[in-house]
Amino acid sequence: MNSGELVKLGLKGITARVLECKKCPLHENATNKVIIRGSERPKVLFIGEAPGKNEDESGIPFCGRAGKVLDELIDYMALEENEYAIINTVKCRPPNNRKPTHSELKTCRPFLLAQIELLDPEVIILLGNTAEQAFCVSPLKWGEAVNMQEGKYLVKLYHPAALLYRRSLMEQQKEMIDLNKKLWQKI
């Protein structure tokens, strides 16, 4: 199905289709498919790369160590629970936590685009290069907001896992958040 057909099914229908999907080899080793965490009407939508070990075991996006870093950033952004949602570019864990292949990203893209359309966020935050590659035609600059259409913005930030391994990037990440907070904070 294409993203337009998936949109007609609604979020519950997309979840059902993801759960039954066998279009790429990633499903073969998935314990759980990882679909969404958070609000169905978010102001801010975070898009990560792919489920990791903890996410595969629980079915919940960003519930492991990188998730704790993301939660810290969400707190820093002063977002309430009903103001954000978290999804991934692919819904099944790649073996050995490798990056999803171009083919896997392409196969899962209709789910990603349908989720984005139905969630209808004001701000999409792409967490890292893989999320950018799955969603964008051309590269973005780190931390620079792009106006996609009236009142809809796109921002690329560091993936929380990168911050685990390079804690020195955390201050830079917070600076990028500070530059963009006007997008989700109505002052």
Side-chain angles (χ1 to χ4, degrees):
M1 296 184 97
N2 66 37
S3 62
E5 293 167 326
L6 288 165
V7 166
K8 291 176 187 172
L9 299 175
L11 289 171
K12 285 185 172 63
I14 291 171
T15 296
R17 293 296 171 133
V18 168
L19 293 174
E20 63 192 31
C21 182
K22 295 180 177 165
K23 291 182 180 175
C24 82
L26 289 181
H27 79 277
E28 294 170 5
N29 296 312
T31 303
N32 287 292
K33 298 196 178 179
V34 181
I35 302 167
I36 186 171
R37 173 179 135 199
S39 174
E40 290 187 3
R41 286 277 162 233
K43 225 188 257 191
V44 179
L45 177 62
F46 296 92
I47 302 175
E49 179 176 291
K53 181 179 184 287
N54 293 322
E55 292 77 12
D56 180 58
E57 289 172 357
S58 69
I60 300 168
F62 283 90
C63 65
R65 288 177 56 221
K68 286 182 180 28
V69 173
L70 181 56
D71 290 343
E72 181 183 325
L73 292 171
I74 289 168
D75 286 344
Y76 183 78
M77 294 168 73
L79 291 170
E80 301 291 328
E81 256 184 79
N82 66 335
E83 293 181 312
Y84 68 90
I86 306 165
I87 61 176
N88 283 302
T89 61
V90 297
K91 311 308 180 198
C92 299
R93 179 184 183 210
N96 303 313
N97 282 346
R98 66 163 169 75
K99 287 185 180 183
T101 65
H102 176 73
S103 173
E104 291 160 352
L105 290 172
K106 186 177 174 185
T107 300
C108 229
R109 193 164 199 266
F111 294 127
L112 175 67
L113 296 179
Q115 283 181 303
I116 291 168
E117 187 170 337
L118 287 167
L119 293 168
D120 193 30
E122 295 171 24
V123 181
I124 296 173
I125 296 181
L126 303 171
L127 298 171
N129 291 321
T130 302
E132 175 192 45
Q133 291 161 6
F135 185 69
C136 298
V137 176
S138 54
L140 302 173
K141 292 185 179 173
W142 293 103
E144 282 189 25
V146 174
N147 189 344
M148 297 186 302
Q149 62 188 42
E150 190 59 40
K152 305 276 185 184
Y153 295 90
L154 186 63
V155 180
K156 180 173 81 164
L157 296 178
Y158 298 126
H159 192 285
L163 301 174
L164 279 172
Y165 301 108
R166 293 184 58 202
R167 288 303 278 183
S168 61
L169 292 176
M170 183 61 91
E171 283 310 308
Q172 193 177 351
Q173 182 91 315
K174 287 182 176 180
E175 288 171 14
M176 291 187 288
I177 289 170
D178 290 340
L179 285 173
N180 291 289
K181 66 182 169 190
K182 65 189 175 295
L183 300 176
W184 58 85
Q185 290 179 351
K186 304 299 183 224
I187 300 171

